[in-house]
Each structure stands twice: as C-alpha cells, then as structure tokens.
Amino acid sequence: MPFTLAWTSLRRHGTRTLLAMLGVAVAAAMLLDMVMMSTGMRESFRKLLLSRGFQIRLAPKGTLPFDTDATIENTSGIIRVLRQNPDFTTISAVLGGTIHIPRGDRVITSSALGLDPRVQGDYELLSGRDPLAPNEIAGNADFIQATGARFGDTLTVASGYDPQTREYSGSRKLVLTGQVRFLFGAARQRAAAMRLATLQQMSPDKADDASLFMIRVREGVDVDSAYRWIKGKVFTVNVISTELALDQVDERLRYFRQLAVILGSVSLFVGFLLVTTLVTVSVNERIGEIAVMRALGVSRAHIVQQIVLEGVAISLVGAFAGLLLGLVTGRYLNGILTSFPGLPEAIDFFLFQPKSAWTALGLLALSGIAAGVYPSFRASSLPIATTLREEAIA
C-alpha cells in the first residue's frame, strides 16, 4: 500500500518528478566521479608499480625514480652487493638519457632507456623483437613515426650534441628491431630502449651509472626485511618499497583528494536539498488529502512510510542514472588528464571500482531517507480537525 501511494503521488506531477530525478542524477554523477578520482589514482599507481612484479626500487639519494637527472654511480659494484642476497630473483638496472637521430635535414630528439631486455620492467613488446644485441634499438609508436624507420633499418643515434661545434657525440649505428609501449612513459613522448651497456658506452661520463634499480623479491619473502637489508648494505641510494612509494604519492596527491572530498560532499548536499524541497512541496500540496487519510484511520507510521519512500525513490532512480552519467563523464575527463604532457600514460585518474560505486549509491540512498524525515514528520503530526477545517474554508 505505501509503495502504491508513493508511486501515485510521484506520477501526479510527472514532469516535476522527472526534473528532480535528473537533478539528483547530475549530483550523483559528480559524487561518483569525485569518489573515483579520490581513490582511483592511488589504486592505478599501485597496479602500475606491481604490474611487472618488482617490489623494491633504488633511486639516487634523496630523489624518486627519474625525478631528476641524477644517476647512481658504481652500478656494477652495487649489483655485486645485491647478488649476495639469495632472496633477490631479478635485479634490473636502468639508465635514462636523451638521444638524437639525424634524419635528412632534421634531427629527431627522443628519450632513451638503457636496460637489460631479458629482465626489464619498463616496457611491453608490441611487435618485432627485443633489442638484445649491442647494436639494436626498439622504439615506441611516436619514435617510429618521427624517424620514419622500419624494422631492420639502421639509424645513426647520438647521445650528445655540442651547439658550439655543431657536432654530435657518442654516435652509434643501431638497428631498429621492434615497437614497444613504455609503461611509465608520458603520452606522445618519443622513447626508445637499448641495452644498458650500449647507452653507457655512448655516454662516457655515465660509463658505470644507472638512474634506477628495480628488484624482484622471491615469493614468500618479507619485502620489509629485504628493504632493511639493502639499507644496511648500500648507502648511496634511496631505497623505495612499493608501500613507501604509495605513501609518497599519497602525500603529493593530498590536496587533489581533499578537493575531491569537498566537491563530493557538496554534490551529496545538493542532492539532499533537492529531494527535500520536492518532497516538502509535494506534502504541502496534499495537506488536505493527508488529513482525510488520518481521519479515516490511516496510521502516522503509514504516512511516514509513504513520504520517505517518495524521497528514496527519487534518490535511487537519480542515483542509478547518475552512475551511468558518472562513468561516461569520468571516462571523458580521464582521457583529457592522461593526455597532459609529462604524466604516465598508463595512470588512470578516474578508475572505476565497484566498492566506490556502491559507496556513492549508498550515500545517496541515505540522503533520500534523510530528505523524507522532515516532510514526513510534518505530515504525520498535522492536527486533523484544524487542517480539515482550514482546507474546507480555503
């Protein structure tokens, strides 16, 4: 019975009810987007860090990986120390740099990574093969498009350029072997990969340097113990576990999350006010009708149920519509943000998580119940005789 009366009441002013549901849908979409943004970046970054199974990273002292151009010296000595620990199954040293490729009357500039293709965790191979030989190189789509090279073509690659003498230094002939996608690379950033020793030989001042070490710990071994072991053995690096990296990301994104919480709270409050206003107006228009129901013996609890159901129905229908709208807008905004220069292409700012969606829907359902409290209290406490007399005079 309360469901039927609530539905009949909402249908009586169909246009007004529909507009209210659309307003709640917009508020719900904004709330869902803010919830996805506040948790999505951290979860997306965590998945990215663990995507290749490396739990510990070593960066130059006082920095984060590739935060600066600083490098770690004595790479070979550090690798010898790390190999003393049998719990480390994979040690991957990576050197970052810039390369120049003269092509006709123009020069292509690109970032480059020197690494061991057999144990690397920086890229995935899309086509062709890894650059396993010292004279081989693989590039991403932007690199291949800019150079116009095909698999098997030989490129003249230099690691430095002197603007005074207008001469390139560290030149090598490298054969393009494959197309790769860099996991931590920014959108539309040209990048290439080659063996670590090749890039080190092309850069004499970095003959035994690395920008980053990535370490994979044996399954079942406590990562914190491995973290402490490295800190006690290697003093020239910044040791970063996945959890520590996430904490530092949290610190950098703190203001971003606070903004999401504020905007999400505003959306929830706007939805609550919208439903409260509509239900209150509806109750005011039906005061005489409600007084007659009370005079016929309908209980106060019955009146309260009916009016609360009206608020919950508007909130739930608007919330489900807002869920779809939020997913569409979140996907659109995510595409805009991930295309910003310098940001990793694989990071999602709006990551859909079922838990977040249910949280948003649950909050809106609670706001719908709360929105019906005041008008239902007012309707159930009307003095029957006085209300009927005033309605008759009016």
Side-chain angles (χ1 to χ4, degrees), residues 140 142 182-190 335-347:
N140 65 2
D142 294 285
F182 289 94
L183 302 177
F184 300 91
R188 297 191 297 276
Q189 179 187 20
R190 297 174 196 141
I336 294 176
L337 292 175
T338 52
S339 64
F340 276 14
L343 294 176
E345 192 176 12
I347 290 287

Side-chain angles (χ1 to χ4, degrees), residues 249-311:
V249 169
D250 278 345
E251 182 62 26
R252 294 192 176 195
L253 298 178
R254 182 160 54 95
Y255 297 109
F256 222 166
R257 287 201 313 278
Q258 289 177 346
L259 176 65
V261 170
I262 292 172
L263 292 178
S265 301
V266 169
S267 303
L268 187 62
F269 188 62
V270 168
F272 166 77
L273 288 180
L274 193 61
V275 177
T276 303
T277 302
L278 179 75
V279 176
T280 302
V281 170
S282 176
V283 167
N284 289 338
E285 292 176 345
R286 294 182 286 139
I287 283 180
E289 174 186 320
I290 293 171
V292 170
M293 292 172 64
R294 291 280 292 117
L296 293 175
V298 177
S299 65
R300 291 184 175 180
H302 190 101
I303 300 295
V304 169
Q305 287 178 13
Q306 178 187 338
I307 296 174
V308 170
L309 281 175
E310 292 178 23

Side-chain angles (χ1 to χ4, degrees), residues 193-205:
M194 63 186 79
R195 289 185 62 88
L196 173 63
T198 301
L199 188 58
Q200 287 176 331
Q201 291 166 7
M202 292 171 62
S203 311
D205 58 330

